Amino acid sequence: MQKEGFIEALVRPTVRALTPYSSARDEYDGQGNEMIFLDANENPFDSGVNRYPDPHQKSLKKEISRLRGVSPDQILLGNGSDEVLDLLFRVFCEPHSDSVITLPPTYGMYAVLAGINAVENVQIPLTPDFQPDVPGILNRADKHTKIIFLCSPNNPTGNSFEPSRVLSILEGFPGLVVIDEAYIDFSENGGFVPMLKNHPNLVVTQTFSKAFGLAGIRLGICFAAPEIITFLKRVKPPYNVNGLTQERAYTALSNLDKVTREIQEIKAGRTHLHNGLMRIPFVVEVFPTDANFVLVRVDDARLRYSQLMEKGIVVRDRSSQLGCANTLRFTVGTPEENSVLLNTLETLDT
Ligand SMILES: *Cc1c(COP(=O)(O)O)cnc(C)c1O
């Protein structure tokens, strides 16, 4: 179990000593339309975006906190999950000395960010059924290991991790456990946000890029203990979430019916795609999925990939990933797109 003050002890000394930039708008808490703003050297003529955005994204966090059942001080927002993940590296991992653990095959950004931040990426492969190898992970973690990255549902495999395994990692590892839940809204499992209460070393990341249909606005979410959030805020650029993004996300949160409807439709499409793929002669295996994509093993991924490309269908060849030889990843599209994909696959030479 974690000792009092263990979060601060995990933070890089430079960040611990840092005084964050205080923006002009930090002193003004958002009330009062009668105010005259002569503090931030903005252009005074109203265009809808002539003012700096709220650096704390208060209205948006309030809605997200309501949706996910956490308090606003447990939320940090970033320019996509990619920024959130990068902030975690920059706050907790000392370049050239600390390490992280990742579990291939998984999302490529963890390895890229480790490289950018000069942090060793220790890879502990998933088991053959794509679950975390708990003893392998805990045995390999040492005093330099700051973060373990889990992705559930996992990209590119699509499966969720067994909660008991995640729990063993959370309880057996004295650093941070980050669970990337980019695909959580497509999953039948509830996700790990409710476990924040009892696990101060847990960090959950989510995104508006997938189920919410807002990949273009770049908005990522980090849920964690307030102490972790406070350190992340010290390092984030003050206006990292722009005003248009805050507006669009807020609007989406006030129209959740649309999101829910689309998730239902994508899940139905996933079932249709899954069943259809099983009937394609050159499909060797269709992996179970909790996400909005299906990983499929075929006879010859390179051949099938280029045949599909010729027919105007772009998919992802994941064959280079550990344990994913001859696999293609299909994102669930609209019902029409799914039918076109299946019809096209049926016509390919076997
Ligand atoms: C798509 C995806 C994301 C989303 O990243 P954004 O920067 O928020 O768009 C995060 N994690 C995983 C595993 C993903 O597949």
Side-chain angles (χ1 to χ4, degrees):
M1 266 302 29
Q2 288 79 22
K3 294 189 199 68
E4 192 67 24
F6 82 101
I7 295 292
E8 186 162 5
L10 288 172
V11 172
R12 289 171 59 205
T14 33
V15 175
R16 237 182 278 157
L18 201 68
T19 312
Y21 173 76
S22 163
S23 68
R25 281 302 135 78
D26 278 336
E27 290 148 44
Y28 161 74
D29 76 352
Q31 300 303 308
N33 300 326
E34 310 303 308
M35 311 288 275
I36 295 175
F37 294 110
L38 306 176
D39 59 329
N41 304 345
E42 298 148 333
N43 179 323
F45 301 108
D46 188 13
S47 68
V49 285
N50 58 313
R51 299 293 176 188
Y52 280 104
D54 174 8
H56 308 292
Q57 309 99 21
K58 285 201 200 71
S59 326
L60 191 49
K61 281 185 187 166
K62 204 156 126 198
E63 290 308 308
I64 294 171
S65 80
R66 206 174 309 185
L67 178 69
R68 298 304 193 198
V70 299
S71 105
D73 65 359
Q74 291 176 288
I75 303 174
L76 176 109
L77 300 178
N79 185 1
S81 319
D82 292 345
E83 185 186 37
V84 167
L85 296 167
D86 186 52
L87 284 171
L88 286 162
F89 274 94
R90 291 200 286 148
V91 168
F92 292 100
C93 301
E94 194 60 35
H96 304 293
S97 106
D98 284 338
S99 62
V100 298
I101 290 179
T102 62
L103 318 182
T106 194
Y107 187 45
M109 268 320 272
Y110 317 132
V112 170
L113 289 169
I116 291 169
N117 289 285
V119 169
E120 188 194 356
N121 176 25
V122 177
Q123 299 189 301
I124 310 288
L126 294 172
T127 63
D129 58 345
F130 299 137
Q131 290 293 326
D133 166 13
V134 178
I137 293 166
L138 296 180
N139 287 337
R140 183 58 183 75
D142 62 23
K143 67 177 195 311
H144 297 291
T145 315
K146 293 297 184 68
I147 306 178
I148 298 174
F149 286 96
L150 310 180
C151 185
S152 180
N154 187 42
N155 181 3
T157 60
N159 65 298
S160 296
F161 293 163
E162 292 164 6
S164 63
R165 292 188 192 235
V166 173
L167 201 64
S168 304
I169 297 169
L170 274 168
E171 291 181 348
F173 176 59
L176 296 188
V177 179
V178 175
I179 307 182
D180 184 339
E181 292 189 345
Y183 299 98
I184 195 62
D185 294 305
F186 303 109
S187 168
E188 304 308 321
N189 307 300
F192 293 97
V193 167
M195 290 172 68
L196 285 170
K197 258 199 285 309
N198 303 318
H199 298 280
N201 61 333
L202 172 61
V203 176
V204 177
T205 65
Q206 295 181 359
T207 178
F208 277 70
S209 297
K210 307 288 157 67
F212 278 84
L214 293 170
I217 71 171
R218 310 305 301 128
L219 184 63
I221 319 172
C222 174
F223 299 104
E227 196 183 0
I228 296 176
I229 299 297
T230 303
F231 281 112
L232 294 170
K233 278 188 187 161
R234 279 198 196 184
V235 173
K236 89 168 182 73
Y239 302 114
N240 64 328
V241 179
N242 73 70
L244 299 174
T245 293
Q246 293 188 45
E247 244 176 71
R248 279 299 287 268
Y250 189 87
T251 305
L253 287 168
S254 28
N255 189 7
L256 282 176
D257 285 354
K258 177 176 180 287
V259 178
T260 310
R261 239 182 359 258
E262 289 177 358
I263 292 170
Q264 287 315 324
E265 201 158 340
I266 289 167
K267 282 184 178 174
R270 173 175 75 188
T271 305
H272 176 222
L273 207 53
H274 192 278
N275 296 342
L277 287 165
M278 306 258 263
R279 291 195 292 271
I280 304 295
F282 58 80
V283 167
V284 179
E285 189 171 5
V286 184
F287 293 93
T289 176
D290 252 350
N292 66 334
F293 57 83
V294 188
L295 188 73
V296 169
R297 179 162 280 131
V298 295
D299 55 346
D300 182 345
R302 190 187 290 245
L303 171 70
R304 303 308 175 186
Y305 174 87
S306 51
Q307 287 177 326
L308 285 172
M309 190 67 96
E310 266 165 39
K311 306 265 185 188
I313 301 176
V314 187
V315 302
R316 199 86 204 264
D317 184 348
R318 296 284 72 192
S319 303
S320 63
Q321 303 277 301
L322 192 73
C324 296
N326 278 319
T327 57
L328 297 176
R329 194 190 64 197
F330 301 117
T331 305
V332 179
T334 63
E336 296 72 30
E337 289 171 337
N338 301 332
S339 296
V340 171
L341 173 64
L342 289 173
N343 292 339
T344 305
L345 287 170
E346 271 162 22
T347 65
L348 298 185
D349 309 326
T350 48

